[in-house]
Amino acid sequence: DAGVIQSPRHEVTEMGQEVTLRCKPISGHNSLFWYRQTMMRGLELLIYFNNNVPIDDSGMPEDRFSAKMPNASFSTLKIQPSEPRDSAVYFCASSYRGGSNQPQHFGDGTRLSIL
Amino acid sequence: AQSVTQLDSHVSVSEGTPVLLRCNYSSSYSPSLFWYVQHPNKGLQLLLKYTSAATLVKGINGFEAEFKKSETSFHLTKPSAHMSDAAEYFCVVSEKKSSGDKLTFGTGTRLAVRP
């Protein structure tokens, strides 16, 4: 039973470069979430989708961040241009929003370092 | 507005002794509550969830938690710690909204297990 799959696991790039993080949710899940985790701020929700539609992007830090979900099995989080303060671990999670408060299932994250 | 307070940022126990990780929450509505565990370089894994059924909830790996509405607490316990329990633990409260379930994460408790 495949869980949430994120790629790449690690990304190191120079500031100013475009970064694209990828996520494949669990098959059958209809909600997808992007989080950022840092020591200073803990786990922050960036954006989430229901049925491929962005519902709440109030957590997206600034216009340099964008997220898409072109279909039910794929989502991307893009940072352009990247800055050193974007360095963090980015998690994708998915859930089935049909029952009562179904738990979210997390991928193993992408560790992003912007030099 | 909902919030979660994890009272201890670090807890250290000896192998074979009981574990207690404390969590208090506030919520305007009847919340659902979760405990997640995060091992190094991994995503968050669901340990257990409370969704207004039995107040004592059993999870994986021998963990359990008791929902106490009068104390607004949802403390996580385990009778006997194992070395593999060393990880970070997050208490999470969820409220159902028309736009989707909103999760609020605690700041985490890092559990160390001494041989």
Side-chain angles (χ1 to χ4, degrees), chain A residues 37-65:
Chain A
Q37 186 178 40
T38 61
M39 289 291 293
M40 292 298 295
R41 300 171 70 94
L43 205 60
E44 304 172 276
L45 176 65
L46 301 177
I47 185 171
Y48 78 91
F49 297 82
N50 278 345
N51 297 318
N52 313 338
V53 176
I55 300 300
D56 183 354
D57 65 354
S58 59
M60 296 285 262
E62 24 189 301
D63 292 345
R64 297 184 297 106
F65 285 68

Side-chain angles (χ1 to χ4, degrees), chain B residues 18-101:
Chain B
V19 175
L20 170 64
L21 305 183
R22 298 182 293 167
C23 172
N24 286 92
Y25 71 92
S26 76
S27 175
S28 304
Y29 306 97
S30 296
S32 291
L33 293 155
F34 305 86
W35 276 98
Y36 282 85
V37 61
Q38 185 178 27
H39 288 92
N41 300 314
K42 290 289 190 180
L44 279 70
Q45 179 187 14
L46 180 70
L47 273 180
L48 50 81
K49 69 175 182 178
Y50 166 77
T51 55
S52 74
T55 56
L56 182 62
V57 182
K58 293 188 184 299
I60 62 171
N61 301 336
F63 284 94
E64 61 182 40
E66 186 170 8
F67 174 72
K68 292 187 177 181
K69 186 174 181 178
S70 60
E71 298 177 10
T72 60
S73 70
F74 190 57
H75 301 333
L76 181 70
T77 60
K78 182 173 180 177
S80 176
H82 192 273
M83 295 297 292
S84 61
D85 295 328
E88 186 143 23
Y89 292 79
F90 293 91
C91 182
V92 183
V93 61
S94 172
E95 284 185 343
K96 206 167 185 63
K97 297 185 181 298
S98 57
S99 58
D101 299 338

